[in-house]
Amino acid sequence: MASLSKAGAALAALREDLSGDVFAPGDPGYDEARVVFNAMIDRRPAVIAQCVDEDDVVRSVRFARDLDLPVAVRGGGHSVAGMALNDGGVVVDLRHMRAVTVDPAAEAVRVAGGATMSDLDRACQEHALATTGGRVSTTGVGGFVLGGGSGWLERWSGLAADNLLAAELVTSDGRRVRASADENTELFWALHGGGGNFGVATSLTLKLYELPEFALALLLYLPEFGGDVVRTFRDLMAVAPNEAGGGVLYLTGPPEEFCPPHLRGTLLCAAVLTYAGGEADMRKVAEPLLALPHEAEIVGAMPYVEAQCMLDDPPGMRNYWSAEYLGGLPDAYVDVFCAGAESMPVPTGTIHVVFPLGGAVADGPHEFPVPYRDAAWGTHPFGMWEDAADDERAIQWVKNVRADARPWSTGAVYLNFIGAEGPERVVAGVGAENQRRLERVKREYDPDNVFRFNHNIRPR
């Protein structure tokens, strides 16, 4: 740690040199700048550097290195473990770097490091193009892609990481590095699921796909029909085309117009069927779900960007999530899954979801560090609530759901769906063989583990 006089002089120089704003404890705006999506996270960085371009990122990283301070990187700020912040370190805040540049002829898009999924989707929609994005429009593109990237379109267009064409990073020594299939190829490999361990991603270039039409069915059922809904969804997905995706979830009836007033605030089961194509084809797939007795429905064509906003979870809530990836969805597990809804905290924003993989996920490149690719289904207990008095029961419910699923688990997991669950789970998220290779890449690009506020890969 540097002396106070050196630190003060360095901070004054950073304030002078940075094009963006710099916040330190006591500054007006500091507390607002350190708020993240998960209201359970309350951390106090020494410096928050709100960068507006790559030069600002370089300056901020070099400032941190000069003072021997660790660095957290903030894009969307959606990490459930609050990895966008630290205590006493530097936060490189990319939220002002949100440019999205679409190249329709190349079917590619360049996305700045602080862009959200909404920024990406809306820019691509103008050209009837899309790529796999998160299921929440406020998610940051950078962390999402580098962590693997699971979303509604994944069975059709693969994991987000499968569509990564190039990345530009600032490394721990302040160097600018480009990684692609032809440049820094080991680093490029590591960015396909290895997360933010290797530098600050200032831009990503992603492959796009033509998506002139998109359709969706959202159906609400009484919870006693949940088992029938899950089994029906499982069976239709076994023969559905790759264009079909979605999942089944238990949730609290939302205060939305499509939910009958008498069901708002009560436990419900919902089926979401997404379709990368037209309404007529989607309805053919959805027929078995529509035949089940249901209380409400939204069925039809809609812009993909609107579907991406439908299940947005509000900021300012308390969050705790986990996941297990499953080899299959046998009746025995369906019963266990549905039973888990009985103890779900209601009414809260908590959801209890099971969703299909397969399709382009299973067919994608097996050399990348995404070991959950071969799983058939995933389950994702997503605890979200408002009152701190509910912390213990909500967190325990998530842990119980995960434990109940473990007999059917492949052992692999998607790291973006979990918090800080220990080094063994990081290995489960990248694969043991990949872990060793990632450690070597980490040693080359971040030997001092400056970027450790993530699902951390230690240099070896």
Side-chain angles (χ1 to χ4, degrees):
M1 179 67 69
S3 67
L4 288 177
S5 59
K6 178 182 178 182
L11 179 59
L14 183 68
R15 291 187 193 274
E16 181 70 24
D17 294 341
L18 213 72
S19 298
D21 293 324
V22 176
F23 295 98
D27 288 346
Y30 170 80
D31 285 330
E32 182 181 354
R34 68 187 182 89
V35 172
V36 290
F37 172 79
N38 185 357
M40 296 182 76
I41 306 300
D42 182 16
R43 295 185 182 140
R44 300 186 63 82
V47 174
I48 300 172
Q50 294 191 331
C51 303
V52 300
D53 56 26
E54 191 177 52
D55 288 341
D56 275 0
V57 175
V58 171
R59 294 184 187 106
S60 301
V61 171
R62 289 178 175 168
F63 165 83
R65 295 313 308 273
D66 287 346
L67 298 182
D68 194 25
L69 294 172
V71 175
V73 182
R74 176 170 185 159
H78 257 258
S79 158
V80 68
M83 294 170 180
L85 297 179
N86 56 30
D87 283 312
V90 174
V91 172
V92 176
D93 187 337
L94 305 178
R95 282 178 290 171
H96 293 302
M97 298 172 60
R98 297 176 66 162
V100 178
T101 305
V102 179
D103 184 341
E107 294 190 339
V109 59
R110 185 178 184 272
V111 186
T116 65
M117 214 56 62
S118 179
D119 298 325
L120 170 62
D121 293 336
R122 292 186 185 283
C124 294
Q125 181 86 21
E126 295 179 19
H127 306 279
L129 296 167
T131 193
T132 299
R135 297 171 177 89
V136 176
S137 69
T138 53
T139 299
V141 176
F144 171 77
V145 173
L146 299 180
S150 169
W152 297 127
L153 298 180
E154 64 188 351
R155 283 174 38 85
W156 175 66
S157 56
L159 298 170
D162 296 344
N163 296 305
L164 179 63
L165 300 175
E168 294 174 346
L169 282 81
V170 174
T171 60
S172 62
D173 55 0
R175 288 184 298 128
R176 303 167 200 247
V177 173
R178 178 178 168 86
S180 70
D182 303 314
E183 308 162 271
N184 298 299
T185 54
E186 272 297 280
L187 175 61
F188 187 57
W189 170 84
L191 298 177
H192 289 74
N197 274 285
F198 311 101
V200 184
T202 55
S203 80
L204 303 173
T205 302
L206 304 171
K207 178 176 173 55
L208 296 175
Y209 300 82
E210 293 184 9
L211 187 65
E213 293 183 282
F214 186 83
L216 176 143
L218 170 61
L219 298 100
L220 297 182
Y221 305 86
L222 295 177
E224 52 263 37
F225 296 108
D228 293 336
V229 176
V230 176
R231 283 185 284 270
T232 299
F233 196 93
R234 174 197 64 193
D235 294 345
L236 72 84
M237 287 306 303
V239 296
N242 289 357
E243 286 82 356
V248 178
L249 59 150
Y250 286 90
L251 76 168
T252 298
E256 302 289 345
E257 185 177 342
F258 76 93
C259 182
H262 69 284
L263 296 178
R264 296 171 190 172
T266 69
L267 180 67
L268 294 173
C269 179
V272 180
L273 180 72
T274 60
Y275 200 84
E279 179 180 351
D281 289 334
M282 180 273 290
R283 283 185 175 272
K284 291 175 186 174
V285 178
E287 280 178 4
L289 293 170
L290 291 164
L292 294 174
H294 52 281
E295 305 301 306
E297 65 177 59
I298 297 176
V299 182
M302 67 172 59
Y304 173 63
V305 293
E306 289 187 17
Q308 283 285 73
C309 301
M310 282 189 69
L311 295 178
D312 275 4
D313 31 10
M317 304 287 280
R318 305 174 76 79
N319 284 256
Y320 186 86
W321 325 328
S322 194
E324 288 289 342
Y325 277 63
L326 314 172
L329 210 65
D331 286 344
Y333 175 69
V334 173
D335 293 341
V336 167
F337 173 78
C338 295
E342 296 173 7
S343 55
M344 200 175 110
V346 174
T348 67
T350 297
I351 62 174
H352 180 35
V353 61
V354 64
F355 60 93
L357 282 83
V361 176
D363 294 339
H366 277 66
E367 66 268 23
F368 294 145
V370 283
Y372 47 88
R373 188 182 296 281
D374 291 331
W377 291 82
T379 186
H380 181 31
F382 189 108
M384 186 169 61
W385 63 99
E386 191 169 8
D387 189 345
D390 287 331
D391 285 3
E392 185 176 350
R393 75 174 181 131
I395 291 171
Q396 190 58 53
W397 175 80
V398 171
K399 291 179 176 179
N400 290 345
V401 167
R402 185 192 155 207
D404 290 345
R406 212 163 294 155
W408 294 274
S409 174
T410 66
V413 70
Y414 171 45
L415 292 176
N416 284 354
F417 274 175
I418 71 171
E421 296 184 3
E424 296 83 5
R425 287 281 268 175
V426 175
V427 176
V430 298
E433 288 295 321
N434 295 325
Q435 170 88 6
R436 288 185 280 274
R437 186 175 171 186
L438 289 166
E439 289 169 351
R440 293 193 292 271
V441 180
K442 178 76 168 181
R443 184 177 63 207
E444 179 176 354
Y445 290 95
D446 185 17
D448 299 320
N449 204 15
V450 173
F451 301 111
R452 57 181 177 269
F453 298 95
N454 44 45
H455 291 293
N456 194 229
I457 306 292
R458 294 182 177 275
R460 290 287 191 271

